[in-house]
C-alpha cells in the first residue's frame, strides 16, 4: 500500500466512523474508496466490514450514557441483529460474485435515497414522538430489525437509517437514546459478519487495519462533536460518493 492509498483509505475510515455514529452510512465512503484503488467488489466489502467494526464499537461507547436503561431492549433486538447479520454474511459468501456486482449499485442508490430523505424522516419521527406506541414494537419490530441485519451483513450502507426508521415507527423514546441503540445493533451486525468473513473469506488485512484505525477515531468524534457538523454538507458528500460508486460499478 503506497502512501497516497494509505492516507486516502485512512481518511475515508475517519469519515466513515464519524458518519456511522450520526447517520449510519459510512460504507458509502470507504467502499467506493477501496473500489477506486482497484479492490474487487466482494474483497472490498469484506475488508471494509471488518475495518468498520471498531468504529461502530467506539461510537456505541461514545453514546454509553444514552444506553442506560436499555439493556432489555438491546438484548431483544440484539438477538435479531445477530441472526440477521449472520444470514446476510452467509448470503454474501454463498451467492455468486456476479450477483453482488449486479445488486450493489442498486443497494447503493437505495441507501443514497434513504440518506437524502433523512431530514424528512427525522421530522416524521419528532411528529410521532407523542403518539401511542407499543413498548417494544412487538413481532413486526423484531422482524424489521432482523431484515435490517440481513441487509447489514450483506452490504450495510445506511442500515442505521433503516434502524432509525423502524425505531421511530414502533418505539416511543428520545431520539438520542434510539441513536445509541442503533449504534449497538449495527456493531452486532458488523461484528458477527466480520467473524464469518475472518473464518472463511479472503480479507485484505492492510486495508481492513487502516479503516479500523480511522473508523475508531471517527466513531469517537462522531459521538462527541459530530452533531455540530453541518448535516447537509455531510449528506451531500455521502450522496455524491454513493452515486459515483453506483455508476462506476454499473459500468464495470
Amino acid at each position: 500500500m503506497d502512501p497516497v492509498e494509505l492516507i486516502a483509505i485512512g481518511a475515508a475510515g475517519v469519515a466513515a466512523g464519524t458518519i456511522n455514529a450520526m447517520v449510519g452510512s459510512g460504507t458509502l465512503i470507504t467502499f467506493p474508496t477501496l473500489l477506486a484503488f482497484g479492490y474487487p467488489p466482494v474483497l472490498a466489502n469484506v475488508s471494509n466490514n471488518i475495518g468498520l467494526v471498531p468504529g461502530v464499537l467506539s461510537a456505541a461507547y461514545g453514546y454509553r450514557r444514552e444506553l442506560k436503561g436499555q439493556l432489555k431492549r438491546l438484548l431483544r433486538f440484539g438477538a435479531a441483529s445477530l441472526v440477521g447479520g449472520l444470514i446476510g454474511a452467509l448470503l454474501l459468501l454463498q451467492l455468486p460474485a456476479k450477483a453482488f456486482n449486479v445488486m450493489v449499485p442498486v443497494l447503493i442508490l437505495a441507501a443514497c435515497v434513504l440518506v437524502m430523505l433523512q431530514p424528512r424522516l427525522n421530522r416524521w419521527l419528532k411528529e410521532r414522538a407523542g403518539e401511542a406506541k407499543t413498548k417494544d414494537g412487538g413481532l413486526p419490530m423484531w422482524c424489521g430489525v432482523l431484515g435490517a441485519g440481513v441487509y447489514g451483513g450483506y452490504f450495510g450502507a445506511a442500515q442505521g437509517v433503516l434502524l432509525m426508521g423502524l425505531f421511530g415507527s414502533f418505539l416511543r423514546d428520545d431520539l438520542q437514546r434510539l441513536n445509541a441503540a442503533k449504534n449497538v445493533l449495527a456493531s452486532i451486525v458488523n461484528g458477527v459478519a466480520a467473524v464469518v468473513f475472518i473464518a472463511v473469506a479472503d480479507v485484505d488485512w492492510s486495508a481492513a487495519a487502516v479503516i479500523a484505525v480511522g473508523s475508531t477515531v471517527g466513531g469517537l468524534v462522531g459521538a462527541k462533536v459530530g452533531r455540530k457538523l453541518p448535516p447537509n454538507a455531510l449528506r451531500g458528500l455521502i450522496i455524491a460518493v454513493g452515486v459515483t460508486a453506483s455508476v462506476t460499478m454499473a459500468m464495470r
Side-chain angles (χ1 to χ4, degrees):
M1 186 179 294
D2 61 53
V4 173
E5 184 177 350
L6 176 67
I7 293 171
I9 294 176
V14 174
T18 303
I19 292 166
N20 275 340
M22 299 182 295
V23 182
S25 309
T27 291
L28 292 179
I29 301 296
T30 44
F31 181 71
T33 301
L34 294 177
L35 293 181
F37 283 103
Y39 291 79
V42 173
L43 177 63
N45 188 48
V46 167
S47 304
N48 176 65
N49 178 285
I50 293 172
L52 288 179
V53 170
V56 290
L57 287 173
S58 68
Y61 175 78
Y63 275 94
R64 59 193 180 278
R65 285 177 295 183
E66 288 84 356
L67 290 172
K68 292 180 180 179
Q70 297 199 71
L71 179 59
K72 185 176 180 181
R73 172 183 291 169
L74 294 176
L75 289 175
R76 173 177 171 79
F77 296 137
S81 293
L82 182 69
V83 174
L86 177 61
I87 294 173
L90 292 175
L91 284 174
L92 176 68
L93 297 178
Q94 292 299 318
L95 293 176
K98 288 183 179 180
F100 182 79
N101 295 346
V102 171
M103 292 176 64
V104 164
V106 178
L107 293 175
I108 291 176
L109 287 178
C112 288
V113 171
L114 285 172
V115 173
M116 186 167 51
L117 294 177
Q118 194 193 21
R120 184 172 298 179
L121 173 63
N122 287 343
R123 289 195 297 270
W124 177 71
L125 296 181
K126 290 179 181 179
E127 290 171 358
R128 288 179 58 88
E131 297 180 12
K133 302 172 189 177
T134 58
K135 187 173 181 179
D136 61 4
L139 183 60
M141 177 66 188
W142 197 91
C143 291
V145 173
L146 174 68
V150 173
Y151 171 79
Y154 186 80
F155 183 53
Q159 69 166 315
V161 179
L162 290 174
L163 286 170
M164 289 301 289
L166 287 167
F167 287 165
S169 299
F170 293 100
L171 304 179
R172 182 176 181 177
D173 205 340
D174 177 74
L175 284 180
Q176 293 302 330
R177 282 171 51 81
L178 294 178
N179 194 46
K182 175 265 292 181
N183 285 330
V184 173
L185 298 184
S187 69
I188 292 173
V189 172
N190 283 21
V192 68
V195 170
V196 173
F197 296 151
I198 290 170
V200 299
D202 292 328
V203 181
D204 189 299
W205 287 106
S206 296
V210 173
I211 292 174
V213 173
S215 67
T216 300
V217 174
L220 293 173
V221 171
K224 290 185 177 180
V225 301
R227 301 184 192 93
K228 299 179 182 179
L229 297 177
N232 289 335
L234 278 175
R235 196 172 293 112
L237 175 62
I238 294 169
I239 293 170
V241 172
V243 170
T244 301
S246 180
V247 173
T248 299
M249 285 199 67
M251 294 175 63
R252 281 174 176 262

